[in-house]
Amino acid sequence: MATAARALSAAAGVPKLMSSMRILVVEDEAGLANSLVAGLKEECYAVDHTSDGESAEFLAETNDYDLIVLDVMIPKIDGFQVCRDLRTREVKTPILMLTALDATAEKVKGLDSGADDYLTKPFSFEEFLARVRALLRRGPSFVVTVLEYAGIKVDLVGHSAIRGESRLDLTPKEYGLLEFFMRNPERVLSRSQLAEHVWDQYFDPLTNVIDVSVSHLRKKIEVDGTPRVLHSVRGMGYILSDKPR
């Protein structure tokens, strides 16, 4: 029986898994910003959005993001300076820079400011998403594409999940919760951790939406007599564990 999440890969060894999939989009063009945010949410990422450099720096230093999508031409502080400021303050989050400036000198300036990748407008959402995925999986030389624990498999590329032979019909939030639990098996996760990594900055902590979402997820993964693996921990939160509790 598995005792930790593992990747299904020909490579040997167990990688260090990321603990979240939360993205900050910094874009002041409303139409593009709405499209990017909506598209990323459809891919089950938790997304925060801001439209100026000053608030971008505040959010990037306050929250634990896996990726920052940063437009160059934004109010208050431009993207180049935001990137330099964050790197100076040792914010190491990968940065994908967006700009309408396609001159080589501008691309060099962006990369030299500390950006990890550069995308010139206009671009297709498919290319944007491919670059997002590439930056999110940077780190270990061995790429995690599937997580497996207690008979549950989560396909990180296809954004799908199965338990045994049964496909799980999950909402985007339920998928996000399951992925986060699968990245942190046998670890108690508090409600605040779940809110931070699965919801966005507009989450209302006074609601019971987390408990309701976890309850719905539990019903979907614990069917047909399969053992309970998603447990409540009184006063602390929830844990994914195949050990009886």
Side-chain angles (χ1 to χ4, degrees):
M1 184 176 292
T3 57
R6 65 179 184 272
L8 299 184
S9 171
V14 177
K16 180 180 179 181
L17 300 177
M18 293 180 292
S19 60
S20 69
M21 282 292 175
R22 189 176 182 185
I23 298 174
L24 173 63
V25 174
V26 187
E27 171 61 65
D28 66 327
E29 185 183 334
L32 178 58
N34 290 338
S35 296
L36 295 180
V37 170
L40 288 169
K41 286 185 175 181
E42 285 183 4
E43 294 295 317
C44 301
Y45 299 114
V47 186
D48 293 348
H49 168 251
T50 189
S51 58
D52 68 81
E54 188 174 280
S55 60
E57 291 192 2
F58 172 78
L59 289 170
E61 292 183 87
T62 303
N63 299 310
D64 182 18
Y65 293 108
D66 296 286
L67 176 67
I68 298 171
V69 177
L70 177 63
D71 186 35
V72 170
M73 304 302 290
I74 49 177
K76 298 186 180 180
I77 306 174
D78 68 54
F80 293 130
Q81 189 60 50
V82 169
C83 196
R84 284 192 291 267
D85 290 346
L86 292 179
R87 295 313 188 215
T88 298
R89 296 166 191 166
E90 297 189 352
V91 175
K92 299 178 181 179
T93 307
I95 295 176
L96 173 59
M97 191 163 276
L98 307 179
T99 183
L101 306 172
D102 61 357
T104 299
E106 295 299 329
K107 295 180 181 179
V108 171
K109 182 177 179 181
L111 295 171
D112 284 346
S113 297
D116 296 89
D117 198 3
Y118 201 101
L119 190 56
T120 304
K121 301 176 183 178
F123 51 81
S124 69
F125 184 73
E126 289 75 14
E127 180 182 3
F128 167 76
L129 198 57
R131 291 175 183 261
V132 166
R133 288 195 298 264
L135 289 174
L136 286 173
R137 66 176 178 247
R138 278 189 181 179
S141 58
F142 151 65
V143 176
V144 175
T145 59
V146 177
L147 303 175
E148 181 180 8
Y149 180 83
I152 303 170
K153 296 180 183 178
V154 174
D155 180 347
L156 301 178
V157 177
H159 296 289
S160 61
I162 62 173
R163 186 172 190 186
E165 301 300 322
S166 302
R167 183 182 178 89
L168 304 179
D169 183 17
L170 304 177
T171 66
K173 278 293 181 284
E174 289 166 356
Y175 173 87
L177 279 170
L178 180 58
E179 180 184 339
F180 190 41
F181 280 119
M182 293 286 286
R183 291 181 180 277
N184 298 275
E186 300 179 17
R187 173 185 169 194
V188 176
L189 300 176
S190 67
R191 289 171 178 79
S192 62
Q193 286 175 306
L194 296 174
E196 178 182 355
H197 294 295
V198 181
W199 276 263
D200 56 27
Q201 75 252 52
Y202 301 110
F203 172 74
D204 183 356
L206 299 180
T207 69
N208 67 341
V209 66
I210 292 177
D211 299 308
V212 171
S213 297
V214 171
S215 177
H216 288 167
L217 174 62
R218 177 187 285 135
K219 290 177 182 177
K220 291 183 179 181
I221 64 175
E222 297 172 1
V223 294
D224 300 328
T226 53
R228 168 158 289 193
V229 292
L230 191 53
H231 309 274
S232 301
V233 181
R234 186 182 296 274
M236 298 179 66
Y238 297 94
I239 185 172
L240 180 70
S241 175
D242 58 6
K243 297 178 175 61
R245 297 182 67 86

